[in-house]
Amino acid sequence: MNTSAAEKIDIQKVESSRIGQVDFNNLTFGSAFSDHMFECDYKDGVWQNPKIKPYGPLTISPGAKVFHYGQAVFEGMKAFKDEAGKVWLFRPEQNFLRINKSSVRMAIPEFPRDIFFEALTTLVKIDKDWVKPGQGNSLYIRPFVIATQVGVSASPSTEYKFMILMSPAQAYYTGDIKVIIADHYSRSANGGVGAAKAAGNYGAQFFPTNLAREKGFQQVIWTDASNHQYLEEAGTMNVFFRVNDTLLTAPISDRILDGVTRKSVIALAKQDNITVEERPVLVSEIVEAAKNGSLKEIFGAGTAAVISPVNAFSYQDIIYELEKQEDGFASRFKKELTDIQYNLSEDPFGWRYEVL
Ligand code: COI
């Protein structure tokens, strides 16, 4: 589709904004939504009727396939406002490519690039007042696709809805993060959907994460499904381990999400001449490093959570505490990353994408 087709996005604006009802100093992640949303339907083999309209409920048949077979994928990205009032996205091309990669894995038709970018930038421009300035503030953007064909036969839907919602956000995690290393449950398996941002990947984590919470831990570090020997992801994030001054993280595979923050951290580390090893990381080597003092940091990396240091981990009922690192890798990468996102530093990688 070319620009002229994307220009056909039908725009219906709210009569009055809800922005005055939102307490921007006390936001619970993902609970408030901006005034408008984007919606586009797939029918008869084409994506059609792109529209921006007031945020509000949908009417969908209870027979729609998404409710029965979980055929749904999503993305997470953020808009930032700089000190001059300009609004930027961070590496949106990566999210565009990944939602289509996820869609292919879930037998969902790919979404056209021109409508994606036109919808995204138009929506952010319309709701620009929902992007608050100041480090820590952002507008979390949630594109997603759901299967809307009515029918409970277990086969791919012939109809879909692609949508974009936007939610003003601050920190995803507050306070200390303690994690349990999984030795029973798994997040993904070889040949599975771990590399896709499939909705069910997240829903399936809730039960084991609740069990971890009951024991006083916020998240689970997932290990490989075969024999739980290798460390893979942390909760909703990719995970990094700093052993002495080397950074370790699991390599991308069909079990691991190709995280945008993950790949940005790796690029920043390489720029800073830090050795990065993308390789299978054994649980036993991290436990050993914790015992001999060479494990300096563990941190999660993700769009919502940015960079989140882990303070302690539990493995087979033994708790290993990590010393707080004021000037550690996590705080350094967080600063370097957010300085680029908020237009406070040069952007040697070309990651910032100007919206207005
Ligand atoms: C993100 O970081 O965007 C995520 O996908 C996490 C989300 C499940 C809150």
Side-chain angles (χ1 to χ4, degrees):
M1 228 183 220
N2 55 31
T3 332
S4 57
E7 270 168 18
K8 284 190 206 139
I9 295 178
D10 181 66
I11 299 176
Q12 185 203 337
K13 291 197 185 167
V14 291
E15 279 172 14
S16 64
S17 173
R18 288 178 286 102
I19 198 163
Q21 298 163 22
V22 177
D23 179 359
F24 282 88
N25 296 317
N26 286 301
L27 291 167
T28 303
F29 184 89
S31 58
F33 290 93
S34 72
D35 285 325
H36 298 89
M37 62 186 191
F38 172 76
E39 195 178 323
C40 186
D41 292 314
Y42 183 87
K43 220 178 167 172
D44 303 325
V46 260
W47 287 102
Q48 50 190 273
N49 299 326
K51 45 184 171 286
I52 286 175
K53 60 189 215 184
Y55 173 87
L58 303 171
T59 302
I60 296 182
S61 163
K65 293 204 176 194
V66 65
F67 299 130
H68 305 275
Y69 304 115
Q71 206 189 359
V73 297
F74 73 94
E75 266 307 318
M77 54 203 298
K78 279 177 175 170
F80 304 91
K81 192 169 268 180
D82 71 16
E83 287 168 350
K86 279 189 172 188
V87 177
W88 306 85
L89 296 170
F90 184 71
R91 308 188 74 178
E93 176 73 14
Q94 296 295 321
N95 302 94
F96 167 71
L97 294 172
R98 195 172 59 186
I99 199 164
N100 279 342
K101 187 176 155 202
S102 301
S103 289
V104 168
R105 180 61 184 83
M106 294 298 291
I108 294 172
E110 293 177 70
F111 197 71
R113 174 188 299 269
D114 66 332
I115 318 183
F116 180 88
F117 278 94
E118 186 70 17
L120 190 61
T121 50
T122 309
L123 196 58
V124 172
K125 282 178 190 163
I126 292 175
D127 281 347
K128 63 182 185 308
D129 293 344
W130 291 78
V131 200
K132 294 296 175 193
Q135 287 241 22
N137 291 319
S138 65
L139 189 62
Y140 184 76
I141 302 173
R142 172 53 64 88
F144 65 100
V145 191
I146 53 171
T148 49
Q149 185 198 353
V150 177
V152 293
S153 68
S155 57
S157 177
T158 54
E159 294 175 10
Y160 297 87
K161 201 175 271 298
F162 177 102
M163 300 194 65
I164 306 177
L165 310 180
M166 306 200 298
S167 173
Q170 290 168 323
Y172 190 78
Y173 290 111
T174 48
D176 286 358
I177 304 183
K178 293 189 175 139
V179 299
I180 287 188
I181 295 182
D183 59 4
H184 174 70
Y185 293 101
S186 334
R187 174 187 170 273
S188 63
N190 289 334
V193 291
K197 254 180 126 54
N201 277 347
Y202 295 77
Q205 296 186 34
F206 296 162
F207 176 71
T209 306
N210 277 349
L211 297 180
R213 292 221 168 108
E214 282 166 17
K215 294 184 175 174
F217 298 88
Q218 285 72 40
Q219 280 296 344
V220 177
I221 292 193
W222 304 105
T223 49
D224 67 285
S226 310
N227 41 30
H228 302 287
Q229 281 184 349
Y230 294 101
L231 296 154
E232 304 215 311
E233 287 193 26
T236 62
M237 306 175 285
N238 294 108
V239 65
F240 287 86
F241 304 88
R242 173 185 171 192
V243 177
N244 291 319
D245 283 335
T246 299
L247 206 52
L248 309 176
T249 194
I252 290 308
S253 71
D254 57 8
R255 300 196 305 270
I256 309 276
L257 187 81
D258 187 7
V260 181
T261 313
R262 175 190 179 279
K263 63 174 74 161
S264 305
V265 165
I266 292 171
L268 290 168
K270 289 186 174 162
Q271 175 193 248
D272 295 350
N273 291 319
I274 291 167
T275 307
V276 184
E277 294 180 10
E278 290 179 70
R279 61 161 174 85
V281 182
L282 279 163
V283 178
S284 58
E285 70 179 294
I286 294 305
V287 168
E288 185 49 36
K291 285 183 184 161
N292 69 26
S294 58
L295 179 67
K296 306 295 182 200
E297 292 177 72
I298 301 178
F299 58 87
T303 297
V306 197
I307 309 271
S308 295
V310 167
N311 311 90
F313 71 90
S314 164
Y315 181 59
Q316 293 182 338
D317 294 328
I318 301 177
I319 296 181
Y320 300 85
E321 306 271 350
L322 288 162
E323 244 174 64
K324 207 172 167 68
Q325 304 270 337
E326 293 304 340
D327 299 313
F329 283 5
S331 53
R332 170 181 181 159
F333 295 136
K334 185 170 181 184
K335 176 160 177 21
E336 290 179 357
L337 188 72
T338 53
D339 278 358
I340 294 177
Q341 291 173 331
Y342 289 92
N343 192 19
L344 292 167
S345 67
E346 291 299 308
D347 177 18
F349 304 100
W351 288 341
R352 273 194 302 265
Y353 180 100
E354 187 174 340
V355 179
L356 85 158

